[in-house]
Amino acid sequence: TDLVDWHGQLYLIQASVPFHFASTDTYLELKRSTDNGDTWAEVTRFNVQGEDIRDPKFAVIGERLFIYALKNVDFAAEPYATVYSSSTDGQTWSPFQPVQPEGWLFWRPKSIDKQTWYVPAYWHEHGRSVLLRSTDGQTWQIVSQIYEGDRNDETDIEFQPDGSVIATA
């Protein structure tokens, strides 16, 4: 589940799943509120035919609202790819596309200056996490390694007031 305030409206995205394990019946439900969260209306649903989709995250990059999500085919929820969709109006969304470089599983993109975006990502086969950066939300480059060793998933970052970054895995 994620929530963002964009152009004076609240957007909420959540995975609708029959249970925590993977299911081909899973879809991501996008809702919008124009009255500060008092009422919500469904905008659209995202799914990947024959696959599980999970862990949606928002990012406002430039003039576009992005949704990043993880694709999965394993019942035990072992995602293998990150995909994204974007919109300039919050109503019409692009089809899901794979992020580059492939194989990295995004967590939550963040920016300290709204120009350059950073996302912690963990390798789909586990054991590695990196920090990636982008200025357009579509093409990402590895900046640095966060960790290598034992399984470390769902890596997150937080910028500190002095510009340093704290990472957890």
Side-chain angles (χ1 to χ4, degrees):
T1 303
D2 204 4
L3 178 72
V4 68
D5 185 342
W6 186 55
H7 294 302
Q9 300 176 23
L10 295 175
Y11 289 83
L12 172 72
I13 190 160
Q14 63 188 26
S16 177
V17 299
F19 39 77
H20 183 69
F21 295 104
S23 169
T24 57
D25 294 331
T26 300
Y27 61 89
L28 302 179
E29 183 177 20
L30 178 65
K31 294 182 179 182
R32 177 176 45 211
S33 174
T34 59
D35 58 8
N36 222 18
D38 288 337
T39 59
W40 293 89
E42 184 176 285
V43 175
T44 192
R45 293 180 179 188
F46 299 91
N47 70 339
V48 177
Q49 189 67 31
E51 295 188 42
D52 178 61
I53 189 85
R54 58 186 44 242
D55 298 324
K57 307 288 188 278
F58 286 118
V60 177
I61 301 176
E63 295 299 315
R64 295 169 32 188
L65 181 58
F66 282 79
I67 295 171
Y68 297 94
L70 306 182
K71 288 173 61 173
N72 175 57
V73 292
D74 190 328
F75 179 74
E78 291 284 344
Y80 69 92
T82 301
V83 293
Y84 74 91
S85 175
S86 67
S87 176
T88 58
D89 63 7
Q91 187 67 37
T92 305
W93 292 84
S94 66
F96 274 136
Q97 300 173 54
V99 298
Q100 300 298 324
E102 291 186 41
W104 293 102
L105 305 178
F106 283 23
W107 207 238
R108 187 175 312 280
K110 295 181 180 177
S111 178
I112 197 165
D113 63 5
K114 302 297 183 199
Q115 300 296 312
T116 303
W117 286 80
Y118 297 89
V119 67
Y122 62 99
W123 186 242
H124 71 282
E125 293 174 334
H126 310 288
R128 287 178 61 197
S129 55
V130 296
L131 184 64
L132 299 151
R133 81 169 158 235
S134 176
T135 56
D136 66 8
Q138 301 169 76
T139 303
W140 296 81
Q141 299 172 327
I142 296 175
V143 175
S144 64
Q145 182 170 282
I146 294 173
Y147 181 81
E148 185 170 4
D150 298 328
R151 187 178 180 124
N152 62 106
D153 300 343
E154 300 178 2
T155 307
D156 203 1
I157 60 169
E158 189 62 44
F159 288 101
Q160 299 302 293
D162 68 0
S164 63
V165 178
I166 293 177
T168 62

